[in-house]
Amino acid sequence: MATRVVITSFIVLVSIVLLSGSMCFAEEESKESVVEHVLTLDHTNFSEIVGKHEFIVVEFYAPWCGHCKSLAPEYEKAASVLSSHDPPIVLAKVDANEEANKELATQFGVQGFPTLKILRSGGKHSQEYKGPREAEGIVAYLKKQVGPASTEIKSAEDSSSLIDEKKITLIGLFPVLSGEEFENFTALAEKLRSDYDFGHTVDAKLIPKGDSSITKPTLRLLKPFDELFVDSQDFHVEAMEKFIAESGVPTVTLFNQDPSNHPFLVKFFDSPDAKAMLFLNFSTDKFEDFKKTYNDVAALYKGKGLSFLLGDLEASKGAFQYFGLSEDQVPVILVQTSDSQKYLKGNVEAEQIAPWLKDYMDGKLKPYVKSEPIPEVNNEPVKVVVRDSIQDVVFNSGKNVLIEFYAPWCGHCKKLAPILDEVAVSFENDADVIIAKFDATTNDVPSEVFDVQGFPTLYFRSASGTVLPYAGDRTKDDFIEFIQKNRDTIAKPVSVKSEESAAKSESARDEL
């Protein structure tokens, strides 16, 4: 089966931007250099080797992936350094592109390359590696991961080395370091250690914010936004997780060039809530008015299933491309729901934000649908379909339609294009068959009918309305066979052209 570029959601797109291209989703052939300290695992030895280690890091990679190639020497350097750690920290890798290893990749939820997993207790527990991608950072991050989940704070130096004012830090304040509350806190720290820094102390005066006269167990969340710290005294694990989830997210998440905001952006886009996003130029004279108004509205709707983001135009170019926005719409506010419905207002004024969002919450707004203009001339063998024409061409035409959902930048789509041209030429005298293409980066895909999770994705809709995904090989003959097998006959069928006549047509077209 032919491969395709994987895209799961806008969170993937944003993660790629934020991590400076640290994930790879397109394919090309290459060979990986041999390393010495990184163990090579596959489906034959994975369970045995992982089962022997209390702590091991596994990279799932593809030999063709450019980001994997960039990581390889850094990963090897880190493995060399960590091999001397007491106890040694083992780094391993799995070629997830190898057919025999794909079940392992599926087991660990690998959707892009490279994906790194921290496996504990012989592989019984798995967590995502969320650290740096250069050797020094990998070493520092993993040394911290292999140590205690929470650091005891005994001095001001301990406090300052742990607490970063640009990050969220969770501190357990206890009269004594024992008891049910302390045990629950320790369990929570172990569970969430890859997401947050944890510390604990019996001396609240060592913590820079909050009451220093704490006399009962308290969980303090220090953060670089909103009220800067918040306390909770409910030490049930589920209650602590809920407290962190609610308090650890800004009322308004900033999308700008500051890398310290990136973790909060990932959480924003990973949230199941509907997402309100206001994009404008942060250097405009009206920025402060917009910011205050937007923060006031966000506070009003906090906890009501709507999360808020304020994006700088310069930092949000990827979002503009994804949503099909243009700079002449700025300031622009957009709401995207969990089922991918979008609502939009361009050239919005600060005083219009609150009433527009109220209309959204009251169900008074119509969804915004992104579409290119319907082409005035559409006489190529493969017909161009846009969102505004898909109803007429695909659903209402009474034709058998093979439609490709593609991205202009996709290498596999470019390779497929001449093949689909040949298929279309073969059917050009068949009034019942249409071969079409749909740019899914500039048009909204009708997600209720077509599940497009990667490029290229192909679907076939028969004249009677049966919708089938195409998962066969991508040769001219395979496409033709699939269409002939699944089509509905409307009028008298016209035979597909012979290879010779199709070649003649192709040759004549090339000469034009």
Side-chain angles (χ1 to χ4, degrees):
M1 185 184 299
T3 51
R4 60 178 180 165
V5 181
V6 178
I7 55 165
T8 53
S9 64
F10 184 45
I11 177 61
V12 174
L13 171 68
V14 172
S15 297
I16 294 170
V17 173
L18 299 184
L19 296 173
S20 300
S22 63
M23 296 289 281
C24 201
F25 292 86
E27 297 194 7
E28 50 186 69
E29 295 300 323
S30 183
K31 291 184 179 179
E32 184 175 342
S33 58
V34 178
V35 296
E36 296 178 358
H37 293 90
V38 177
L39 296 182
T40 298
L41 307 182
D42 59 26
H43 69 289
T44 65
N45 63 5
F46 186 91
S47 297
E48 178 185 357
I49 293 178
V50 169
K52 294 177 180 178
H53 293 87
E54 280 297 307
F55 184 97
I56 185 171
V57 182
V58 179
E59 175 203 6
F60 293 89
Y61 75 97
W64 46 259
C65 170
H67 300 304
C68 300
K69 294 174 189 176
S70 298
L71 175 63
E74 300 297 319
Y75 197 58
E76 170 64 16
K77 289 177 190 175
S80 176
V81 173
L82 293 170
S83 65
S84 302
H85 186 268
D86 186 20
I89 298 175
V90 178
L91 272 57
K93 63 179 182 179
V94 172
D95 181 353
N97 194 61
E98 184 70 32
E99 189 65 36
N101 297 329
K102 288 185 177 179
E103 186 175 340
L104 276 175
T106 300
Q107 178 184 338
F108 288 95
V110 175
Q111 294 185 326
F113 302 122
T115 290
L116 290 90
K117 297 285 184 176
I118 296 174
L119 307 183
R120 301 177 187 270
S121 305
K124 294 178 182 176
H125 304 289
S126 169
Q127 69 185 63
E128 198 81 21
Y129 173 91
K130 298 181 179 179
R133 299 294 176 96
E134 42 79 29
E136 185 177 349
I138 294 171
V139 170
Y141 183 87
L142 291 178
K143 282 183 176 180
K144 190 172 183 179
Q145 289 296 309
V146 81
S150 178
T151 302
E152 183 175 0
I153 299 172
K154 299 180 181 179
S155 65
E157 290 76 16
D158 292 340
S159 178
S160 61
S161 64
L162 174 67
I163 298 171
D164 184 339
E165 291 186 352
K166 292 186 176 182
K167 297 170 62 178
I168 290 176
T169 308
L170 291 148
I171 306 294
L173 307 171
F174 301 96
V176 292
L177 300 180
S178 61
E180 182 180 359
E181 290 92 346
F182 181 70
E183 291 176 1
N184 286 352
F185 173 80
T186 302
L188 177 75
E190 187 65 49
K191 183 176 182 180
L192 300 181
R193 65 185 299 163
S194 64
D195 297 308
Y196 303 101
D197 291 331
F198 285 84
H200 57 274
T201 185
V202 294
D203 188 354
K205 292 190 294 294
L206 297 174
I207 308 306
K209 297 180 178 68
D211 188 358
S212 62
S213 59
I214 296 293
T215 58
K216 61 186 299 186
T218 300
L219 175 60
R220 177 163 295 164
L221 187 150
L222 305 173
K223 53 185 177 176
F225 50 81
D226 298 345
E227 64 269 58
L228 300 183
F229 81 92
V230 60
D231 289 347
S232 173
Q233 294 177 334
D234 187 340
F235 275 81
H236 293 92
V237 174
E238 289 184 0
M240 286 190 288
E241 288 191 73
K242 182 179 179 182
F243 165 71
I244 294 169
E246 293 177 351
S247 302
V249 177
T251 302
V252 175
T253 300
L254 286 180
F255 193 164
N256 57 13
Q257 304 285 12
D258 186 350
S260 65
N261 287 327
H262 294 172
F264 308 120
L265 279 167
V266 172
K267 287 184 180 180
F268 172 85
F269 286 109
D270 203 27
S271 166
D273 288 348
K275 296 164 181 61
M277 295 165 274
L278 174 62
F279 298 104
L280 71 159
N281 190 333
F282 279 16
S283 62
T284 181
D285 294 340
K286 297 182 178 180
F287 172 68
E288 291 301 328
D289 289 339
F290 273 97
K291 183 179 178 181
K292 182 182 184 307
T293 300
Y294 198 58
N295 273 277
D296 290 345
V297 174
L300 179 67
Y301 290 112
K302 190 169 184 177
K304 297 182 180 180
L306 187 60
S307 299
F308 288 79
L309 175 142
L310 182 60
D312 181 29
L313 174 61
E314 187 61 32
S316 308
K317 296 294 178 66
F320 267 61
Q321 179 182 2
Y322 181 83
F323 290 117
L325 304 176
S326 59
E327 293 189 15
D328 59 9
Q329 293 175 290
V330 174
V332 57
I333 186 168
L334 173 80
V335 172
Q336 178 175 269
T337 64
S338 58
D339 60 355
S340 298
Q341 292 274 24
K342 290 186 282 290
Y343 302 82
L344 182 144
K345 183 173 179 59
N347 304 119
V348 66
E349 297 291 343
E351 62 270 16
Q352 295 173 326
I353 293 173
W356 187 83
L357 282 169
K358 185 177 186 304
D359 284 346
Y360 162 75
M361 295 295 285
D362 292 343
K364 295 180 179 179
L365 300 182
K366 291 183 178 180
Y368 163 78
V369 179
K370 178 176 65 174
S371 178
E372 292 180 289
I374 297 175
E376 295 181 5
V377 178
N378 201 2
N379 54 12
E380 292 297 317
V382 177
K383 304 307 177 187
V384 174
V385 176
V386 299
R387 179 56 190 260
D388 285 347
S389 66
I390 196 169
Q391 192 71 33
D392 291 335
V393 177
V394 178
F395 299 112
N396 297 339
S397 66
K399 309 290 186 180
N400 299 284
V401 183
L402 179 73
I403 183 168
E404 175 206 15
F405 296 93
Y406 75 97
W409 45 259
C410 168
H412 294 302
C413 303
K414 294 175 183 177
K415 291 178 182 178
L416 181 59
I419 298 172
L420 289 182
D421 277 344
E422 291 180 9
V423 175
V425 168
S426 296
F427 282 102
E428 67 180 357
N429 291 329
D430 190 331
D432 295 348
V433 175
I434 296 174
I435 311 299
K437 61 182 180 181
F438 184 101
D439 184 345
T441 67
T442 52
N443 297 275
D444 283 338
V445 177
S447 57
E448 67 278 8
V449 181
F450 303 112
D451 181 23
V452 178
Q453 297 291 333
F455 299 133
T457 292
L458 293 107
Y459 273 90
F460 180 78
R461 187 184 187 276
S462 72
S464 63
T466 301
V467 177
L468 298 172
Y470 180 83
D473 289 334
R474 291 173 185 169
T475 68
K476 173 186 173 182
D477 290 342
D478 286 305
F479 281 119
I480 290 174
E481 181 181 355
F482 178 85
I483 293 169
Q484 296 288 44
K485 178 181 177 181
N486 294 286
R487 64 180 291 170
D488 293 319
T489 301
I490 307 166
K492 182 179 179 180
V494 178
S495 299
V496 176
K497 290 183 179 182
S498 67
E499 290 288 337
E500 182 179 356
S501 61
K504 289 180 180 177
S505 296
E506 182 73 13
S507 176
R509 189 162 58 87
D510 288 342
E511 293 172 2
L512 294 177

